[in-house]
């Protein structure tokens, strides 16, 4: 379980029951607690080098109130992002949050969950009679902080009562027991981000091994949740086909054939931008992440910046491989996209 080394509270967070409960808890646990004016301006996280600042931020919890109630869009996996938390305790070298959250990607939770869910309800009403889908992991992995806030369970139950609202989130973490009893009513798709043991060991520091994630997925499936897997990022390295085939077979073996039909897969090949590369090299100077522009194809992005993706032939090879393996071991499962 994530135990922060320091916690910052926005004064306003104490106006909410979750905020008051957490304040009391951290005081009792003798974890250093400080008050701040805004969860967007946190000073007092140590760290002289970019790496130290990053690691200290990952051990820092900020408890705040979400003020922006305009939810960002979230294509292609959902209509809107549902902001429950920001950042996460993992230290994945390739994580896109390394570039979006600045030099100190501290872990942030929001205590005004009722207001956030009320806003979600407004969005659902606006789109009625269409179904509206919300993504709970667009800017974080929400599971490591769940034992503190209980916000995920609350959200799952909220969507369980929404005929026109659906929720989905993805995690690499395995502390899922508190979510098993939530009354999800089949409206939440619980997804796990998985990868080969080699990728996890090399690039996903501070996260559970593949076996633990697959075991947790088995529990979640047992609780009747619609299940999904995100295989991302997919790397090409010597032996990649054997490793990914092993991963897919282990998954198929662990999960009961009865649920194979209702499983979704999202597949994302590794890509990087030059600003991400620069930031990653500051924080992880020894990284072996494949980031040589020469071996990649440059693809223009939405806002003028571009990303380096695998060349077309490599992507085709990847597609053929994954479609074949998934068709064999998960016939009937839905591959939502491979990019
Ligand atoms: S677990 Fe997800 S959100 Fe957390 S560091 Fe890894 S990739 Fe980023």
């Amino acid at each position: 379980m994530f135990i922060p080394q320091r916690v910052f509270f926005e004064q306003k967070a104490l106006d909410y029951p979750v905020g008051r409960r957490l304040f009391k808890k951290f005081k009792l646990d003798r974890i250093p607690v400080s008050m701040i004016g805004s969860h967007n301006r946190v000073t007092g996280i140590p760290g002289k080098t970019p790496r130290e600042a990053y690691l200290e931020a990952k051990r820092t919890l900020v408890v705040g109130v979400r003020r922006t109630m305009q939810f960002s869009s979230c294509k292609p996996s959902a209509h809107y992002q549902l902001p429950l938390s920001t950042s996460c305790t993992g230290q994945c070298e390739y994580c896109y949050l390394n570039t979006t959250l600045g030099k100190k990607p501290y872990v942030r939770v929001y205590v005004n969950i009722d207001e956030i869910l009320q806003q979600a309800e407004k969005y659902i009403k606006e789109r009625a009679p269409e179904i509206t889908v919300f993504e709970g992991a667009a800017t974080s992995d929400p599971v490591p902080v769940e034992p503190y806030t209980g916000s995920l369970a609350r959200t799952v139950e909220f969507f369980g009562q929404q005929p026109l609202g659906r929720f989905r989130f993805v995690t690499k973490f395995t502390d899922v027991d508190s979510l098993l009893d939530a009354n999800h009513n089949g409206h939440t798709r619980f997804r796990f981000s998985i990868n080969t043991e080699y990728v996890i060991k090399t690039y996903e520091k501070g996260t559970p091994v593949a076996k633990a994630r697959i075991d947790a997925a088995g529990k979640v499936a047992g609780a009747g949740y619609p299940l999904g897997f995100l295989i991302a990022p997919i790397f090409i390295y010597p032996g990649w086909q054997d490793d990914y085939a092993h991963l897919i077979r282990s998954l198929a073996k662990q999960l009961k054939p009865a649920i194979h039909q209702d499983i979704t897969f999202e597949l994302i090949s590794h890509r990087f931008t030059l600003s991400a590369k620069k930031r990653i090299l500051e924080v992880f100077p020894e990284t072996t992440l494949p980031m040589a522009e020469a071996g990649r194809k440059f693809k223009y992005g939405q806002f003028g910046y571009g990303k380096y993706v695998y060349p077309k032939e490599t992507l085709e090879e990847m597609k053929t491989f994954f479609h074949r393996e998934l068709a064999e071991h998960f016939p009937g499962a839905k591959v939502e996209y491979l990019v």
Side-chain angles (χ1 to χ4, degrees):
M1 180 179 162
F2 166 52
I3 302 187
Q5 282 189 4
R6 64 191 72 80
V7 186
F8 293 92
F9 276 82
E10 250 182 7
Q11 189 66 44
K12 277 266 169 216
L14 301 183
D15 294 347
Y16 296 81
V18 181
R20 288 194 292 275
R21 175 170 58 73
L22 289 180
F23 187 81
K24 237 192 236 165
K25 176 182 170 40
F26 290 125
K27 282 280 191 193
L28 270 176
D29 292 350
R30 296 178 182 277
I31 291 176
V33 166
S34 319
M35 302 309 291
I36 47 171
S38 158
H39 67 75
N40 290 318
R41 279 189 301 280
V42 180
T43 51
I45 300 175
K48 289 195 193 77
T49 63
R51 178 157 178 80
E52 275 173 24
Y54 169 87
L55 291 175
E56 292 295 344
K58 290 274 178 171
R59 297 175 191 130
T60 303
L61 180 67
V62 173
V63 182
V65 175
R66 176 82 189 188
R67 291 194 181 75
T68 319
M69 283 296 166
Q70 196 165 6
F71 295 177
S72 304
S73 68
C74 193
K75 284 176 192 158
S77 81
H79 295 103
Y80 293 106
Q81 300 182 6
L82 189 78
L84 298 175
S85 50
T86 303
S87 189
C88 111
T89 57
Q91 295 160 22
C92 304
E93 295 184 8
Y94 56 75
C95 180
Y96 69 103
L97 299 176
N98 292 340
T99 22
T100 56
L101 293 182
K103 294 201 182 318
K104 294 189 175 170
Y106 49 85
V107 184
R108 229 178 304 176
V109 294
Y110 307 113
V111 292
N112 52 333
I113 181 71
D114 290 330
E115 293 161 17
I116 294 169
L117 295 177
Q118 271 165 21
Q119 180 63 24
E121 205 167 356
K122 279 191 200 154
Y123 281 116
I124 294 171
K125 282 189 180 139
E126 270 173 27
R127 284 181 36 87
E130 300 293 321
I131 299 255
T132 305
V133 185
F134 295 82
E135 167 66 61
T139 56
S140 69
D141 188 314
V143 169
V145 288
E146 177 63 4
Y148 293 119
T149 61
S151 294
L152 259 187
R154 174 98 178 65
T155 303
V156 166
E157 298 213 329
F158 165 82
F159 280 97
Q161 302 304 314
Q162 296 294 322
L164 297 176
R166 297 290 181 273
F167 182 48
R168 56 198 338 247
F169 65 93
V170 60
T171 185
K172 288 186 171 73
F173 290 83
T174 52
D175 197 358
V176 297
D177 288 3
S178 66
L179 294 161
L180 300 180
D181 292 337
N183 191 3
H184 56 77
N185 208 9
H187 290 183
T188 290
R189 188 166 293 274
F190 202 135
R191 291 130 75 224
F192 284 88
S193 168
I194 50 169
N195 221 315
T196 66
E197 284 299 356
Y198 168 75
V199 171
I200 294 176
K201 215 166 86 200
T202 316
Y203 304 125
E204 299 183 354
K205 304 278 156 47
T207 67
V209 297
K211 162 110 182 40
R213 298 185 204 176
I214 297 173
D215 288 348
K219 285 192 203 171
V220 164
Y225 279 95
L227 196 61
F229 293 99
L230 189 71
I231 307 184
I234 300 168
F235 288 100
I236 301 292
Y237 58 88
W240 69 274
Q241 296 205 1
D242 289 343
D243 285 4
Y244 282 105
H246 175 73
L247 177 70
I248 291 168
R249 282 164 207 179
S250 313
L251 257 189
K253 214 164 126 194
Q254 172 80 14
L255 301 170
K256 290 205 179 77
I259 59 147
H260 285 192
Q261 299 291 323
D262 189 29
I263 291 179
T264 58
F265 285 93
E266 295 153 85
L267 310 164
I268 306 176
S269 60
H270 178 246
R271 67 261 335 272
F272 62 91
T273 61
L274 288 182
S275 61
K277 177 175 174 176
K278 184 169 170 278
R279 175 81 188 124
I280 290 166
L281 289 172
E282 278 170 5
V283 177
F284 304 99
E286 312 288 325
T287 189
T288 58
L289 271 176
M291 293 190 293
E293 292 97 287
R296 299 293 180 103
K297 178 175 172 276
F298 183 74
K299 202 171 160 190
Y300 283 98
Q302 248 182 336
F303 305 106
Y305 68 84
K307 53 196 165 192
Y308 288 87
V309 299
Y310 281 113
K312 199 164 160 245
E313 310 73 57
T314 313
L315 275 179
E316 284 306 320
E317 194 188 348
M318 225 183 244
K319 275 185 188 161
T320 308
F321 166 79
F322 278 100
H323 283 298
R324 187 186 64 225
E325 286 296 321
L326 291 172
E328 184 181 339
H329 298 286
F330 288 93
K334 186 173 172 211
V335 178
E336 294 195 329
Y337 52 85
L338 194 163
V339 289

